[in-house]
Amino acid sequence: MPKMKMMMILPVLMLLLLLVPTPSFSLFEDQVGFMDWHQRYIGKVKDAVFHTQKAARKRVVVSTHENVIASLDLRRGDIFWRHVLGPNDVVDNIDIALGKYVITLSSEGSILRAWNLPDGQMVWESLLPGTKSSKSLLVVPANLKVDLDSPIFVYSGSCLHAISSIDGELLWKTDFATHGIDVHQLILPSASAVVHAVGVTDLSHFHTYEVGVMSGEILKHTTASFPGGVYGEILPVSNDRFVALDASRSVLVIISIQNGKTHLQQTHVSDLIHGSSRDTVILPSKLSGIFTVSTDTCIAFIKVTDEGKLHVMEKVDNKVVVSDALSLSEGEQAFALVQHGDSKIHLSVRLVHDMSSNHLKETVEMDHNRGFVHKIFINSYVRTDRSNGFRALIVMEDHSLLLLQQGEIVWSREDGLASIIDVTTAELPVEKIGVSVAKVEHSLFEWLKGHVLKLKGTLMLATPDELVEIQKIRLRSSEKSKMTRDHNGFRRLLVVLTKAGKLFALHTGDGRVVWSSLLQSLRSSEQCSQPTGLKLHQWQIPHHHALDNNPSVLVVGRCGSSLSSATAMSIVDAHTGKEVQNMVPTHSTVQVIYLPFTDSTEQQLHLLIDADNRAHLYPKTPEAAEIFQRESANVYWYSVETEAGILRGYGVKTKCNLDEYCFEARNLWSVVFPSESEKIIATVTRKANEVVHTQAKVIADEDVMYKYVSKNMLFVATVSPKASGPIGSATPDEAVLAVHLVDTVTGRILHRMTHLGSQGPVHAVLSENWVVYHYFNLRAHRYEMSVIEIYDQSRAENKDVLKLIVGKHNLTTPVSSYSRPEVMTKSQSYFFTHSVKAISVTSTAKGITSKHLLIGTVGDQVLALDKRFVDPRRSLNPTQAEKEEGLLPLTDALPIIPQSYVTHAFKVEGLRGIETVPAKLESTTLVFAYGVDLFYTRLAPSRTYDSLTEDFNYALLLLTIVALVVAIFVTWVLSERKDLQDKWR
């Protein structure tokens, strides 16, 4: 009878198994963007050229400090096209030729390129070799015609080049190095057959050359003595007049060229501007017949009369930003002035021939978090009444870009996010019924407005703008975009610090900016000049007080470029972006040390090491000092002196005389690498918050190896001095790469390995008991990746079962740097196809999930490589036990699997770093890659073994369960009926 029941149930179960969805681990096209997002930026704009012809789409072409050339839509600010030239190809000048080519000069004037204006495709490229280093100048004739006889002029490498605007061919070159002249300006008068080169020799003689446009022959040369010397640049006032400052910056010199002779006329700045100082500079405003002088008190517009006399036309506040001149018609120019007020900016446009009145005056509301205006570019358009209207492209202090027109901000771009220097994360608020901890819930009016919009959308009565607003509301209310934390830990805030000293909080769900804050501590002021951001640390992570306190971050900066400059510090609320505390310490900061201790308010303890090797404790509270003194015997740190080739280790000695939170350091050890044989090029240590699940590693034949897990291990890479340059700077016989594993408590070198015929750059990642590093093999002419795993031999005797039974083992004994470790290493090297920009490793909450290496390739993509591919125990013919363990057969090269690219088809242009954050779900890690672009995704190295996938069919699962219950009930009824019939027989 049981056999009969099974035969009846089996077909039902087989049918139900067919209904259950089979697991799929592929990524479909429609899934891209569900768990990831990608944002494109350009960086801080340094030059802009407008192209607003009626027949073409209105655009502005810009170059940025991130070496990006981009074409932006003037209507919306979107990117039409963009090229990232790389860190070593700095853009010097940019212009538009023939109305269809974008001309760029880069790499100190050695590379001239033409790009197609509509689509950004490169038309031609010209390499301009020079004889010696010099400044670079680019002149594109305004009336350039489609003719090979209309050249583009470039001065670079002390040579003047004439380049064909059609195909980039070099027409002629004139070398000025033989004349010993340093050219400051190139001037090409309209419809002129000569180009003027203006410069100085030895800062004491002024020279002008007239060079033939067609032949490059020097037709005329004039000179004049300039005894006072020149400060800065010689700037043109007109075609035959120039202005310069003498070396003392107290005398203005007008240089006039008349009838082939040069005349100098000197005027003291104090005679024109009372109260002027030595901070006088001439601004390159390019106004016809007028030049602009900036002092510490004001900005003065000075007119040069026909007789060469100087007349101050107007003085404005020295905080006013002045644009370059804009030609409106024959002989007429306009320029813009921008002055910043309280949360407003005042824009005025003036005509050169009428400086006394404003041709246009507008006031625009401005977010104070954008800071001051740094630069302005203006463009004109014709209004319906045939008058001239103006639009202004403004670069703000936080590197954002805005377009102003008719008194309003047409669009804005947060391009400061292209220059991220550090990243940390913060938890979102805990969700409470009826309460919003982060105060981000909408008001009742907004709630009603949202429902009205949704109703209009349902009834198909919504306008296009309302449909866009409805889509935004849906995105905000979606599960992944909520402003509360989830039980899996997927929703978080990415807190990033930019070069501009601005903090941004990005939501991991969709990448939107939750808040931004331009830190007062990192803004230029009398107390802190030339501030720069250094590090970003988690300051307070409330667990027990999560409902009462918000998490906060510590921002550490420096007031100046030298290591001895004073420190700038801020504590910022991670939920609101408000500065909780703005500290101005008197000491410098060379290093920030994150201590594994917290006080009763859950504030993290930090040590700031100054230039004199003193340690300053933060927060400065008696409780923090008590905790630190209790644990100070086990606090160590190290420093790396790259130029000197020295590693030094330090510990806490005694309190210093500055205050009770200052401690003197004692030198514990030092490792000196001889400068004649080794130079430090890379150092890497483990993440402070990395979790290791187990120290034991079970290998083939049920054997056990014990990982040497120490948070004090440091990876150091050195090369021979001749190999410290770029690839190819040394021969294989001269190049030596050495890697070291150093204990930073004792200074003991645990392991050293040498790679002959290899050189950097070296990119490495250190995790658990292994390190993987990437370098170049000169002998094989290929990149390589090597792995070193280090094991603790002192625990090898724990394999004796009898000792484990009687308790004579040392499994629970902590790893200590005080005892000399008995270590064993295993290593292996593999060829790798790509060069590498950055390398990281996945991290999970408990450290159980297998590791993947995240490799930022030269193509600005992120590749996920399983750690098993770089296992040093791989062999050509693995045994059956090794195959069961998961070891892969040995190959000489690491595979590049297209499906393993985390970034899919996207590129993170200018990739600089990859940050990984563990989610609460053990299988998942959060990955954030940043450069000029930003990219975020979720990654499951061992697949989502502890959760259902996002596209799991819950309806089909419910249907399957119901079908199973019904099938079981029906089968039971049929079985009972069959039993009853059998009993009646």
Side-chain angles (χ1 to χ4, degrees):
M1 193 59 61
K3 184 176 180 181
M4 179 65 68
K5 291 182 180 179
M6 289 299 298
M7 291 180 65
M8 296 177 66
I9 295 175
L10 186 60
V12 178
L13 291 177
M14 292 179 65
L15 176 63
L16 295 175
L17 285 174
L18 292 174
L19 293 175
V20 176
T22 56
S24 174
F25 303 107
S26 301
L27 187 68
F28 296 98
E29 186 177 356
D30 59 352
Q31 291 177 302
V32 175
F34 186 78
M35 295 185 299
D36 56 67
W37 44 263
H38 177 239
Q39 297 176 357
R40 304 170 70 208
Y41 296 100
I42 58 175
K44 183 182 180 182
V45 172
K46 64 179 181 181
D47 201 1
V49 182
F50 291 88
H51 186 262
T52 55
Q53 293 181 0
K54 291 183 179 180
R57 302 178 70 177
K58 293 178 172 57
R59 65 182 71 205
V60 58
V61 181
V62 299
S63 64
T64 73
H65 290 271
E66 300 296 327
N67 299 332
V68 176
I69 305 165
S71 176
L72 305 180
D73 184 359
L74 272 179
R75 292 183 178 88
R76 297 183 301 272
D78 299 333
I79 299 175
F80 280 137
W81 54 262
R82 180 190 62 167
H83 294 288
V84 182
L85 299 185
N88 299 322
D89 196 3
V90 179
V91 182
D92 303 313
N93 291 283
I94 186 170
D95 209 335
I96 293 179
L98 302 176
K100 61 178 181 178
Y101 293 158
V102 176
I103 306 298
T104 61
L105 185 64
S106 60
S107 295
E108 298 182 347
S110 62
I111 302 177
L112 185 70
R113 298 183 179 98
W115 314 84
N116 196 28
L117 182 58
D119 57 13
Q121 295 295 319
M122 190 168 69
V123 180
W124 50 259
E125 180 182 67
S126 182
L127 300 180
L128 308 177
T131 55
K132 70 175 185 178
S133 178
S134 69
K135 68 174 298 183
S136 57
L137 301 169
L138 171 67
V139 174
V140 178
N143 57 346
L144 195 61
K145 298 179 180 179
V146 183
D147 194 322
L148 285 176
D149 294 335
S150 299
I152 297 171
F153 299 98
V154 175
Y155 175 77
S156 64
S158 294
C159 296
L160 178 60
H161 308 80
I163 310 297
S164 169
S165 57
I166 300 300
D167 55 11
E169 180 187 354
L170 178 64
L171 302 179
W172 52 258
K173 182 176 76 170
T174 300
D175 190 355
F176 282 95
T178 57
H179 302 273
I181 183 177
D182 181 18
V183 175
H184 284 215
Q185 293 293 331
L186 288 180
I187 298 175
L188 181 64
S190 179
S192 175
V194 295
V195 58
H196 299 274
V198 180
V200 295
T201 54
D202 302 326
L203 297 179
S204 59
H205 287 83
F206 177 82
H207 296 264
T208 60
Y209 290 86
E210 292 185 6
V211 182
V213 167
M214 304 307 298
S215 63
E217 180 184 356
I218 297 178
L219 304 176
K220 186 181 293 185
H221 171 219
T222 62
T223 183
S225 178
F226 199 67
V230 176
Y231 173 82
E233 298 293 327
I234 299 174
L235 298 175
V237 179
S238 61
N239 291 337
D240 56 0
R241 279 199 177 93
F242 306 88
V243 63
L245 270 175
D246 73 338
S248 66
R249 300 170 68 175
S250 60
V251 177
L252 288 169
V253 181
I254 300 299
I255 306 158
S256 303
I257 304 173
Q258 297 176 357
N259 301 323
K261 295 183 179 180
T262 303
H263 305 278
L264 304 181
Q265 184 175 345
Q266 301 185 20
T267 304
H268 285 276
V269 179
S270 57
D271 294 338
L272 300 171
I273 307 170
H274 298 290
S276 61
S277 67
R278 293 180 59 87
D279 295 331
T280 303
V281 292
I282 303 176
L283 303 180
S285 55
K286 301 178 182 178
L287 300 176
S288 178
I290 299 173
F291 65 94
T292 311
V293 174
S294 174
T295 68
D296 59 349
T297 58
C298 68
I299 293 177
F301 296 92
I302 303 175
K303 182 177 180 60
V304 182
T305 64
D306 295 336
E307 295 79 18
K309 298 188 183 280
L310 304 184
H311 172 63
V312 177
M313 301 188 67
E314 187 177 359
K315 297 179 184 177
V316 296
D317 187 32
N318 64 342
K319 294 182 180 179
V320 171
V321 180
V322 184
S323 75
D324 284 347
L326 173 68
S327 296
L328 299 178
S329 60
E330 189 67 29
E332 184 58 88
Q333 289 181 319
F335 65 98
L337 301 174
V338 176
Q339 189 170 8
H340 210 103
D342 296 334
S343 70
K344 295 180 180 179
I345 61 172
H346 306 284
L347 170 66
S348 61
V349 177
R350 302 184 183 182
L351 302 179
V352 171
H353 79 275
D354 186 14
M355 293 279 291
S356 59
S357 61
N358 294 316
H359 186 73
L360 175 69
K361 191 171 185 179
E362 297 174 345
T363 299
V364 182
E365 294 286 339
M366 185 63 63
D367 182 5
H368 68 278
N369 268 325
R370 296 191 184 277
F372 296 115
V373 176
H374 271 199
K375 217 163 192 180
I376 177 173
F377 307 92
I378 63 170
N379 176 243
S380 64
Y381 61 93
V382 180
R383 295 172 173 160
T384 55
D385 60 357
R386 312 305 298 173
S387 63
N388 284 320
F390 294 91
R391 55 175 70 95
L393 190 70
I394 292 183
V395 184
M396 302 299 293
E397 184 180 349
D398 66 343
H399 298 183
S400 60
L401 186 66
L402 300 89
L403 183 71
L404 307 184
Q405 189 171 332
Q406 297 180 353
E408 294 182 355
I409 299 176
V410 180
W411 50 259
S412 63
R413 295 179 51 87
E414 293 289 355
D415 283 305
L417 287 169
S419 58
I420 293 175
I421 57 178
D422 204 5
V423 182
T424 188
T425 59
E427 291 281 4
L428 283 164
V430 178
E431 186 171 7
K432 293 177 66 179
I433 300 176
V435 179
S436 175
V437 180
K439 298 179 181 179
V440 295
E441 296 293 337
H442 296 294
S443 64
L444 179 60
F445 174 76
E446 290 173 336
W447 181 81
L448 291 173
K449 179 184 175 182
H451 279 71
V452 170
L453 284 174
K454 290 179 182 178
L455 180 60
K456 291 179 70 175
T458 304
L459 298 175
M460 301 177 65
L461 299 175
T463 64
D465 291 338
E466 288 175 339
L467 290 174
V468 173
E469 186 66 26
I470 292 171
Q471 185 65 23
K472 290 181 179 179
I473 292 174
R474 286 175 178 169
L475 288 174
R476 286 197 298 265
S477 60
S478 66
E479 187 68 24
K480 71 174 185 177
S481 303
K482 283 186 176 180
M483 281 299 296
T484 53
R485 67 181 69 175
D486 60 319
H487 64 280
N488 288 330
F490 295 159
R491 294 197 299 261
R492 297 198 182 189
L493 289 180
L494 293 168
V495 184
V496 300
L497 175 65
T498 67
K499 286 182 182 178
K502 190 172 185 178
L503 275 184
F504 290 88
L506 307 177
H507 196 291
T508 56
D510 52 8
R512 71 182 185 275
V513 177
V514 178
W515 56 259
S516 60
S517 177
L518 186 61
L519 301 178
Q520 294 298 322
S521 59
L522 294 181
R523 298 185 68 184
S524 182
S525 62
E526 294 180 0
Q527 294 80 16
C528 186
S529 61
Q530 298 181 346
T532 55
L534 292 179
K535 293 293 293 182
L536 192 59
H537 290 271
Q538 293 180 337
W539 175 259
Q540 187 176 22
I541 312 173
H543 297 291
H544 304 293
H545 306 89
L547 297 177
D548 305 317
N549 298 329
N550 291 347
S552 55
V553 295
L554 171 68
V555 184
V556 181
R558 183 182 293 143
C559 297
S561 57
S562 67
L563 295 177
S564 59
S565 301
T567 304
M569 293 176 59
S570 287
I571 299 173
V572 181
D573 189 312
H575 284 172
T576 63
K578 295 181 179 179
E579 284 192 74
V580 179
Q581 189 176 359
N582 186 355
M583 296 173 280
V584 185
T586 57
H587 61 79
S588 59
T589 297
V590 176
Q591 190 177 358
V592 181
I593 299 174
Y594 177 91
L595 297 177
F597 316 123
T598 58
D599 60 13
S600 58
T601 62
E602 298 180 282
Q603 289 184 355
Q604 202 75 33
L605 271 61
H606 291 77
L607 277 184
L608 271 64
I609 312 301
D610 65 15
D612 298 321
N613 285 329
R614 289 189 292 258
H616 301 266
L617 177 65
Y618 289 88
K620 291 191 173 184
T621 61
E623 182 187 4
E626 181 182 352
I627 296 172
F628 180 74
Q629 288 183 347
R630 187 168 61 245
E631 303 289 344
S632 61
N634 292 319
V635 175
Y636 300 90
W637 68 91
Y638 66 93
S639 66
V640 180
E641 301 175 16
T642 305
E643 295 299 324
I646 302 176
L647 304 179
R648 300 186 191 273
Y650 302 95
V652 179
K653 186 178 180 181
T654 58
K655 287 186 177 180
C656 56
N657 299 326
L658 297 179
D659 56 51
E660 58 180 325
Y661 305 106
C662 173
F663 299 88
E664 295 285 353
R666 56 193 176 103
N667 294 321
L668 299 178
W669 55 267
S670 63
V671 177
V672 180
F673 297 99
S675 59
E676 63 273 6
S677 60
E678 293 183 85
K679 183 178 181 180
I680 299 175
I681 60 170
T683 58
V684 175
T685 187
R686 275 182 57 191
K687 279 189 174 182
N689 58 353
E690 184 186 31
V691 177
V692 180
H693 175 61
T694 178
Q695 190 183 6
K697 179 179 180 180
V698 180
I699 60 175
D701 300 323
E702 299 183 355
D703 199 358
V704 179
M705 299 178 69
Y706 294 94
K707 305 172 186 175
Y708 181 78
V709 181
S710 173
K711 290 186 177 181
N712 304 316
M713 193 158 58
L714 173 70
F715 169 83
V716 182
T718 64
V719 293
S720 54
K722 290 185 177 180
S724 60
I727 294 175
S729 59
T731 63
D733 294 332
E734 297 171 334
V736 179
L737 170 66
V739 297
H740 314 73
L741 295 178
V742 183
D743 189 294
T744 58
V745 172
T746 62
R748 184 180 294 116
I749 297 180
L750 303 174
H751 182 69
R752 174 186 167 95
M753 179 180 289
T754 302
H755 299 273
L756 300 176
S758 299
Q759 70 173 127
V762 172
H763 298 274
V765 61
L766 180 59
S767 175
E768 293 190 355
N769 69 317
W770 52 265
V771 59
V772 174
Y773 52 99
H774 177 276
Y775 55 94
F776 189 78
N777 188 328
L778 290 170
R779 296 186 186 277
H781 301 286
R782 298 175 71 179
Y783 287 100
E784 284 187 3
M785 290 185 74
S786 294
V787 58
I788 301 174
E789 291 186 356
I790 183 167
Y791 294 93
D792 190 350
Q793 284 294 93
S794 63
R795 300 171 192 262
E797 59 184 14
N798 294 326
K799 301 172 186 176
D800 192 334
V801 179
L802 181 61
K803 288 188 176 183
L804 291 174
I805 294 174
V806 300
K808 292 185 177 180
H809 62 83
N810 59 352
L811 287 177
T812 58
T813 305
V815 175
S816 174
S817 294
Y818 295 123
S819 59
R820 186 176 185 87
E822 299 177 26
V823 297
M824 176 189 68
T825 60
K826 291 182 177 293
S827 60
Q828 186 63 271
S829 297
Y830 304 90
F831 290 122
F832 190 68
T833 306
H834 298 300
S835 63
V836 168
K837 286 188 171 182
I839 185 169
S840 184
V841 65
T842 57
S843 56
T844 54
K846 303 297 181 183
I848 301 173
T849 307
S850 61
K851 303 280 188 180
H852 274 195
L853 297 174
L854 299 176
I855 302 169
T857 65
V858 68
D860 290 322
Q861 290 186 301
V862 179
L863 174 72
L865 181 68
D866 197 323
K867 169 62 174 61
R868 293 184 304 162
F869 285 110
V870 287
D871 194 314
R873 295 175 51 245
R874 289 176 63 183
S875 58
L876 288 173
N877 298 304
T879 63
Q880 184 61 34
E882 290 176 336
K883 290 180 180 178
E884 293 175 358
E885 180 193 344
L887 282 182
L888 302 174
L890 180 64
T891 57
D892 62 345
L894 297 174
I896 305 296
I897 306 172
Q899 292 81 3
S900 297
Y901 280 102
V902 175
T903 46
H904 318 307
F906 298 120
K907 294 178 68 175
V908 186
E909 295 281 5
L911 179 66
R912 290 192 302 272
I914 305 171
E915 191 74 20
T916 60
V917 181
K920 292 180 182 178
L921 201 65
E922 169 57 27
S923 65
T924 308
T925 182
L926 312 180
V927 180
F928 178 61
Y930 59 93
V932 176
D933 294 347
L934 308 182
F935 179 82
Y936 167 85
T937 190
R938 300 203 305 257
L939 192 64
S942 300
R943 308 189 188 277
T944 52
Y945 58 84
D946 52 358
S947 65
L948 298 175
T949 59
E950 298 283 351
D951 56 351
F952 185 82
N953 196 332
Y954 292 94
L956 186 59
L957 175 63
L958 181 61
L959 180 62
T960 303
I961 294 173
V962 171
L964 278 171
V965 172
V966 171
I968 291 172
F969 179 76
V970 171
T971 307
W972 177 76
V973 170
L974 294 175
S975 177
E976 290 294 322
R977 184 178 297 176
K978 180 67 174 176
D979 288 345
L980 183 60
Q981 290 176 355
D982 289 344
K983 288 179 181 180
W984 279 102
R985 289 178 182 176

